[in-house]
C-alpha cells in the first residue's frame, strides 16, 4: 500500500510532508477511521526523518484530522486532501463568565447550523449512528447522575460528521478544550447542563424526520439552557462575594 507514496524533492519540508501525506490518503482512498502507515514506513517513502513525519502528524492531530492511539497507531478522523489549508488556531477562552459566554456564542452558531444541515443530508446509516451515540449518552447520564461529558461530546461529534461538511468537525475538534469547559461544572454550578439533557433527543428526532428548521430550533433551545446555567452561576458567585 505504501509503495505509491513519492519521495519529497523540496526544501519546504513541513508543508510538503502534509501535502504528500494528504495525496497518499486520497490515492489510497483512506477514509475516517482507517489506519495510516507507521511513522517509520512514511519516513522511508518520503525520504525524510521520522521526526519530520511525527511533527506533520502532530499538526494534523491539532487540527482534529487524526487520532493517535497508544499502542495501536494513527487513525484518520476526517477527510483530507492535498489542497487543504492548514490554519494555526489560538483561542482566548477563559473559565470566567465572559470567556464562557464568548465560547457559547461560537458553539450556538456551529451547533445550530450543523444540526440543520445534518437533518437535510444525513442518510440512514448516519442517523442510526447518531441514535446509537444518543442512547449511550442517555444511559451514561442516568447511570452517573448527569455525568456524561464524553458521551455528550461524541453525540454532538456524530452530528458534525453527518452534516456533510468536514470543516464543522475539524473546527470543533480544534476547540475541544474550550468546549469541554462546559462539562466541568463551570462557575461552581454542580448540575450544569442537566437542563439541556432532553433537547438531545428532540434534536435527534428532528434530524431523523429530516426537519432542518426543527433541528436548528431544538439546538438553539439546548444552547439557551446552557446560557441560563452560566447566568445562574454568575449570579451565585456575585452573592457569595457580597457575603
Amino acid at each position: 500500500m505504501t509503495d505509491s507514496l513519492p519521495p519529497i524533492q523540496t526544501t519546504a519540508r513541513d508543508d510538503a510532508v502534509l501535502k504528500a501525506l494528504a495525496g497518499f490518503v486520497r490515492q489510497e482512498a483512506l477514509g475516517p477511521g482507517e489506519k495510516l502507515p507507521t511513522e517509520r514506513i512514511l519516513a522511508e517513502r518520503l525520504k525524510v526523518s521520522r521526526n519530520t513525519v511525527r511533527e506533520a502528524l502532530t499538526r494534523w492531530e491539532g487540527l482534529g484530522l487524526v487520532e493517535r492511539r497508544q499502542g495501536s497507531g494513527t487513525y484518520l478522523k476526517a477527510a483530507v486532501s492535498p489542497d487543504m489549508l492548514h490554519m494555526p488556531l489560538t483561542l482566548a477562552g477563559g473559565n470566567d463568565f465572559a470567556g464562557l459566554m464568548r465560547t457559547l456564542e461560537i458553539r450556538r452558531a456551529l451547533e445550530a447550523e450543523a444540526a440543520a444541515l445534518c437533518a437535510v443530508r444525513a442518510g440512514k446509516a448516519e442517523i442510526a449512528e447518531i441514535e446509537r451515540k444518543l442512547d449511550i449518552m442517555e444511559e451514561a447520564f442516568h447511570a452517573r447522575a448527569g455525568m456524561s461529558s464524553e458521551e455528550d461530546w461524541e453525540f454532538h461529534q456524530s452530528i458534525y460528521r453527518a452534516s456533510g461538511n468536514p470543516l464543522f468537525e475539524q473546527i470543533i475538534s480544534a476547540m475541544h478544550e474550550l468546549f469541554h469547559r462546559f462539562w466541568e461544572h463551570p462557575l461552581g454550578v454542580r448540575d450544569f447542563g442537566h437542563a439541556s439533557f432532553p433537547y438531545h433527543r428532540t434534536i435527534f428526532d428532528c434530524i431523523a424526520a429530516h426537519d432542518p428548521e426543527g433541528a436548528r430550533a431544538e439546538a438553539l433551545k439546548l444552547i439557551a439552557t446552557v446560557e441560563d446555567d452560566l447566568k445562574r452561576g454568575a449570579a451565585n458567585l456575585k452573592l457569595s462575594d457580597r457575603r
Side-chain angles (χ1 to χ4, degrees), residues 43-118:
E44 289 175 356
R45 300 306 306 165
L46 291 168
K47 307 301 182 187
V48 297
S49 69
R50 291 179 64 177
N51 188 57
T52 299
V53 171
R54 189 175 300 116
E55 289 175 357
L57 292 175
T58 297
R59 287 181 64 184
W60 271 12
E61 186 177 30
L63 292 166
L65 300 177
V66 297
E67 176 186 7
R68 283 164 159 165
R69 301 176 189 173
Q70 187 68 31
S72 179
T74 302
Y75 294 79
L76 278 178
K77 290 182 63 179
V80 297
S81 67
D83 57 353
M84 286 191 311
L85 176 64
H86 301 278
M87 297 188 303
L89 188 61
T90 302
L91 302 168
N95 288 322
D96 60 348
F97 177 73
L100 290 165
M101 283 298 296
R102 285 193 293 269
T103 304
L104 187 64
E105 289 171 357
I106 300 301
R107 185 180 166 191
R108 176 185 287 115
L110 291 172
E111 290 199 7
E113 187 62 20
L117 289 174
C118 184

Side-chain angles (χ1 to χ4, degrees), residues 110-120 159 163 203 207 211-212 215-216 219:
L110 291 172
E111 290 199 7
E113 187 62 20
L117 289 174
C118 184
V120 173
I159 292 176
S163 69
I203 291 171
I207 289 173
D211 176 7
R216 178 183 283 110

Side-chain angles (χ1 to χ4, degrees), residues 3-210:
D3 289 341
S4 59
L5 192 59
I8 291 175
Q9 302 296 332
T10 176
T11 57
R13 289 295 195 197
D14 287 349
D15 289 340
V17 170
L18 293 173
K19 286 187 177 181
L21 285 174
F24 169 75
V25 167
R26 183 168 67 178
Q27 183 172 327
E28 296 298 326
L30 296 176
E34 295 190 84
K35 185 178 179 180
L36 292 176
T38 65
E39 291 177 0
R40 179 184 62 79
I41 292 175
L42 290 173
E44 289 175 356
R45 300 306 306 165
L46 291 168
K47 307 301 182 187
V48 297
S49 69
R50 291 179 64 177
N51 188 57
T52 299
V53 171
R54 189 175 300 116
E55 289 175 357
L57 292 175
T58 297
R59 287 181 64 184
W60 271 12
E61 186 177 30
L63 292 166
L65 300 177
V66 297
E67 176 186 7
R68 283 164 159 165
R69 301 176 189 173
Q70 187 68 31
S72 179
T74 302
Y75 294 79
L76 278 178
K77 290 182 63 179
V80 297
S81 67
D83 57 353
M84 286 191 311
L85 176 64
H86 301 278
M87 297 188 303
L89 188 61
T90 302
L91 302 168
N95 288 322
D96 60 348
F97 177 73
L100 290 165
M101 283 298 296
R102 285 193 293 269
T103 304
L104 187 64
E105 289 171 357
I106 300 301
R107 185 180 166 191
R108 176 185 287 115
L110 291 172
E111 290 199 7
E113 187 62 20
L117 289 174
C118 184
V120 173
R121 298 171 176 172
K124 290 182 179 180
E126 289 87 357
I127 291 173
E129 177 64 6
I130 295 169
E131 185 173 27
R132 187 179 74 84
K133 295 292 188 181
L134 175 61
D135 289 341
I136 292 172
M137 190 213 79
E138 290 178 337
E139 182 178 348
F141 183 92
H142 292 301
R144 302 200 297 264
M147 299 298 292
S148 58
S149 61
E150 287 304 320
E151 293 82 3
D152 195 325
W153 174 260
E154 286 298 324
F155 167 74
H156 289 288
Q157 285 288 89
S158 67
I159 292 176
Y160 297 133
R161 292 188 194 106
S163 69
N165 186 339
L167 289 176
F168 276 108
E169 187 180 3
Q170 292 171 27
I171 292 171
I172 293 298
S173 294
M175 299 179 70
H176 179 275
E177 183 179 347
L178 277 181
F179 275 34
H180 259 55
R181 292 174 183 174
F182 291 109
W183 288 282
E184 296 171 354
H185 306 300
L187 306 180
V189 179
R190 301 307 300 174
D191 63 344
F192 194 97
H194 288 200
S196 72
F197 176 74
Y199 294 108
H200 294 77
R201 176 61 64 174
T202 58
I203 291 171
F204 167 74
D205 288 342
C206 290
I207 289 173
H210 297 291

